[in-house]
Amino acid sequence: MASIAAGEIRPVASSVRHERREARTAWLLALPAIILMLLFVLLPIVAVIFLGFTDFELGVGKFRFVGFENYAELFTDRTFRKSLWNTTVYTAIVAPVSILLGLGVAMLIEGEGWGKSFFRTAYFLPVVSLIVAMATVWQYLFHPTIGPLNALLGLAGLPKPNWLGASSTALYSLSIIGVWQTVGFNMVLFLAGLTAIPRELYAAAEIDGAKSSLDRFFLVTWPMLGPTALFVTTISVINAVKTFETVKTLTDGGPNHASEVLLFTIYQEGFVYMKVGYASAMTVVFLAILVVMMFLQYRFLDRRVHYS
Amino acid sequence: MKTRSRFTLGRLIRLALLIIGAVIFLAPYIFMISAAGKSQDDIFTAALSLIPTHFYYMQNFAKALEKVAMGTLLWNGVVVCALIFVFQVLVAIPCAYAMAKLKFRAARMMMVLVLLGLLVPIHATALPLYVAFDSLSLLNGYTALVAPFTISVFAIFLFLQFFRAMPDDLIHAARLDGMSELGIVSRVIVPNAWPAVTAFAIFSVVAHWNDLYWPLIVISKPGYATPPLGLMNFRAAEAGDDYGALMAATIIITIPLVAAFLLAQKRFVEGITMTGLKG
């Protein structure tokens, strides 16, 4: 009896020991990642929130705790309000247009057997091209006097806008570049979503009376693409809110703040004027926008999405 | 959907749309190549003619190479991207393995950290990081360019998904053979994680080769400039309206990634979809 009892206890004891050893190994394996996450993600976030309540300026040395003063100032800051508005306009153009074009191109390519890889390459190329470099090319295309775009418009007898140079068109010109740059990315994601739809569903829909391709699109393609569309929307909106490269390279926020976007304003206040406290408050607003975006997407769109 | 090989009206429209779209999307590249071969006079007079009247390629490329330290820029780009990628993988794989296959109490808390991390871009952490690097006198160097990106929560997330799908038997068998956990990671997990690593490599390199925000903040000396930063400085300071030289410089700097993409297209697209869809 005793020996049996001992035989029963021993594996338990060793499994406890084993579990402890496993947990210790797991901690060791994860430790570098945990340390780096604390150092480069968590700590800076806490610091940015803290700095947002101070008047910290780089090079000044002393700083004061100012409560919500920075946030109050943000509301009356015309540059900041303008840049928030510009970011909204830019996002409201670039996200929907690049999503719809991406979906359209993906469906055309998917439906067409010929030249599949050529078309895919052509539309995807902007995604892997250096943004700053291609922005330079766009600046040439948009050039009011020597640019090919206005030369083309001139041939058609149309007015020639001063694309990036006029405050009425600068933001829209940047939006065109933004769309050009993201359609390919969205297309590839939609293509992956489309190929995952079982062919039989289309046959079944046809038998059920969905005669036109439009019927089949709304009956099969759209609901089956739900998760992809949700994901593409989230990514597109977040990327549009994060736009910076083209603004910095091409317009520097000008003319007269017409193309100043959120990240550019943060960069300008924080790293050019060194007003770290004030820029931190802006960063908190920027982060809040990202959090709200994610939350909205998953709350509202999730319900209408069909998961297979 | 039946694939028809005949030329119906619908198919004609579809092809026409695709071709027009492709021409519009490729137009910037066509004009870039064209303008890089034009002389200053050519650029100012004939905007729409694609073929330069006098081939000026040699002169423009020479000017670009002379005015910008292309070698330094490209080298910095390669070093920074490679260092970032190596650190990201070295840190993320063991962590993801522990979270996916080992039992420990912190796993849930770490999942929260990872999901939080996915939401936070460098733009949100840049201010305190800049202050910290400045006070440690680490600005203008590879450390500042690389360190904040050594941790990629996205990599942890991607590998985690991948490891969860791996059969436990594989790991049990290795344990029975007397392998240590570190041995399992390096000799069982890593070789099997190759598709995920390739996919992540593409994502990581595209992101960091293109990044302007962080290098712009931490680098003020040209010696450590990355390709986007170098090109931006060249554009702002030297070139002005010399579009021929500018386009030549643009071509040199765009080529590495575009060439890599054209060579390994299938991998690229797979990688983007794989990392993209899981992110």
Side-chain angles (χ1 to χ4, degrees):
Chain A
M1 272 299 256
S3 70
I4 294 171
E8 268 169 13
I9 287 161
R10 207 184 276 143
V12 174
S14 92
S15 100
V16 166
R17 209 164 43 229
H18 175 79
E19 256 172 43
R20 261 194 219 142
R21 209 181 47 216
E22 188 170 315
R24 208 168 42 232
T25 321
W27 270 108
L28 277 176
L29 288 174
L31 203 62
I34 295 174
I35 292 172
L36 290 174
M37 260 193 271
L38 294 178
L39 212 58
F40 291 122
V41 182
L42 214 57
L43 209 62
I45 291 297
V46 175
V48 125
I49 295 171
F50 172 78
L51 286 170
F53 291 118
T54 69
D55 65 352
F56 189 90
E57 280 184 42
L58 212 69
V60 170
K62 271 190 220 147
F63 66 94
R64 208 161 49 82
F65 197 68
V66 295
F68 283 92
E69 218 170 82
N70 286 332
Y71 292 92
E73 199 184 329
L74 280 183
F75 279 104
T76 53
D77 185 340
R78 283 178 64 188
T79 307
F80 180 72
R81 271 160 54 184
K82 179 87 180 142
S83 102
L84 256 190
W85 173 246
N86 286 341
T87 309
T88 314
V89 171
Y90 181 88
T91 308
I93 297 170
V94 174
V97 174
S98 68
I99 292 166
L100 289 176
L101 278 180
L103 178 62
V105 172
M107 290 188 55
L108 287 174
I109 291 180
E110 183 65 14
E112 177 59 58
W114 184 80
K116 227 175 197 165
S117 75
F118 166 75
F119 287 126
R120 211 176 50 186
T121 310
Y123 290 99
F124 193 75
L125 214 52
V127 180
V128 288
S129 302
L130 197 71
I131 300 157
V132 173
M134 293 320 286
T136 314
V137 177
W138 275 98
Q139 188 188 33
Y140 167 61
L141 295 179
F142 277 141
H143 198 287
T145 48
I146 61 172
L149 201 57
N150 274 358
L152 208 65
L153 289 176
L155 280 184
L158 293 165
K160 302 174 178 178
N162 183 4
W163 297 93
L164 291 160
S167 45
S168 55
T169 49
L171 191 61
Y172 302 110
S173 307
L174 291 174
S175 307
I176 292 175
I177 305 176
V179 168
W180 174 80
Q181 205 191 300
T182 34
V183 165
F185 186 75
N186 293 347
M187 169 205 72
V188 162
L189 295 179
F190 277 125
L191 270 177
L194 282 173
T195 36
I197 299 174
R199 300 288 103 189
E200 307 88 71
L201 284 180
Y202 288 104
E206 214 163 6
I207 291 165
D208 284 350
K211 286 278 178 287
S212 73
S213 46
L214 205 66
D215 286 342
R216 283 196 295 274
F217 174 79
F218 282 111
L219 206 65
V220 180
T221 315
W222 188 242
M224 289 301 286
L225 268 186
T228 311
L230 170 68
F231 175 71
V232 171
T233 310
T234 318
I235 287 275
S236 300
V237 170
I238 288 177
N239 278 340
V241 172
K242 287 199 298 201
T243 190
F244 173 78
E245 272 83 0
T246 46
V247 176
K248 175 67 192 151
T249 319
L250 296 181
T251 65
D252 254 325
N256 196 20
H257 301 296
S259 63
E260 188 153 337
V261 292
L262 196 47
L263 277 189
F264 184 80
T265 315
I266 294 176
Y267 165 78
Q268 197 85 347
E269 290 290 335
F271 301 103
V272 179
Y273 307 140
M274 299 296 182
K275 288 165 72 184
V276 175
Y278 191 49
S280 293
M282 284 185 189
T283 306
V284 172
V285 174
F286 166 70
L287 255 179
I289 292 174
L290 292 191
V291 172
V292 169
M293 283 301 162
M294 290 289 253
F295 186 75
L296 279 183
Q297 303 270 343
Y298 284 94
R299 261 259 147 338
F300 284 112
L301 290 170
D302 219 19
R303 270 182 235 148
R304 294 198 281 125
V305 163
H306 168 93
Y307 285 100
S308 51
Chain B
M1 248 195 276
K2 279 173 263 171
T3 22
R4 300 181 179 90
S5 50
R6 293 180 295 124
F7 271 96
T8 59
L9 185 65
R11 189 167 177 221
L12 226 57
I13 294 171
R14 193 164 58 202
L15 267 175
L17 283 176
L18 276 173
I19 290 169
I20 293 169
V23 168
I24 294 173
F25 270 71
L26 291 177
Y29 299 94
I30 299 166
F31 280 107
M32 169 176 81
I33 294 167
S34 154
K38 287 182 173 179
S39 66
Q40 200 67 339
D41 295 345
D42 238 4
I43 286 174
F44 273 94
T45 48
L48 280 175
S49 73
L50 287 177
I51 301 177
T53 31
H54 309 285
F55 276 82
Y56 220 66
Y57 282 102
M58 290 301 285
Q59 289 90 326
N60 279 336
F61 275 95
K63 218 189 290 175
L65 286 171
E66 176 201 326
K67 285 197 176 159
V68 196
M70 286 293 174
T72 316
L73 290 187
L74 296 175
W75 171 248
N76 285 341
V78 170
V79 169
V80 168
C81 283
L83 282 175
I84 288 176
F85 173 68
V86 168
F87 277 114
Q88 283 176 335
V89 170
L90 278 180
V91 170
I93 283 190
C95 176
Y97 167 72
M99 286 171 74
K101 296 292 183 197
L102 300 176
K103 280 193 223 97
F104 73 128
R105 252 179 277 153
R108 185 164 295 174
M109 175 210 85
M110 286 184 60
M111 199 61 215
V112 175
L113 254 180
V114 166
L115 291 178
L116 174 86
L118 282 178
L119 195 73
V120 180
I122 183 70
H123 316 94
T125 49
L127 278 158
L129 288 179
Y130 174 77
V131 174
F133 280 112
D134 181 45
S135 61
L136 295 170
S137 320
L138 283 174
L139 299 177
N140 282 308
Y142 287 136
T143 318
L145 284 171
V146 172
F149 304 105
T150 49
I151 179 72
S152 165
V153 285
F154 180 65
I156 296 177
F157 190 73
L158 180 76
F159 295 138
L160 184 63
Q161 302 289 86
F162 196 81
F163 294 160
R164 276 196 182 136
M166 253 185 202
D168 284 329
D169 294 345
L170 204 69
I171 293 152
H172 287 315
R175 277 196 198 129
L176 285 179
D177 283 349
M179 252 190 217
S180 69
E181 293 297 323
L182 212 63
I184 292 175
V185 172
S186 61
R187 277 186 288 165
V188 181
I189 298 290
V190 171
N192 279 299
W194 215 236
V197 173
T198 322
F200 176 70
I202 287 156
F203 173 85
S204 170
V205 169
V206 171
H208 296 293
W209 185 268
N210 279 325
D211 184 34
L212 175 69
Y213 199 76
W214 186 245
L216 178 66
I217 289 166
V218 293
I219 301 300
S220 52
K221 290 186 182 136
Y224 288 101
T226 55
L229 185 62
L231 191 66
M232 206 198 71
N233 291 340
F234 171 54
R235 221 193 57 92
E238 311 261 353
D241 268 355
D242 191 353
Y243 279 100
L246 252 177
M247 292 303 117
T250 306
I251 289 178
I252 300 172
I253 277 191
T254 318
I255 271 179
L257 210 55
V258 167
F261 165 63
L262 291 176
L263 282 175
Q265 234 195 89
K266 217 168 146 251
R267 269 285 155 81
F268 247 90
V269 174
E270 276 170 10
I272 293 285
T273 12
M274 188 172 175
T275 49
L277 272 177
K278 299 247 168 90

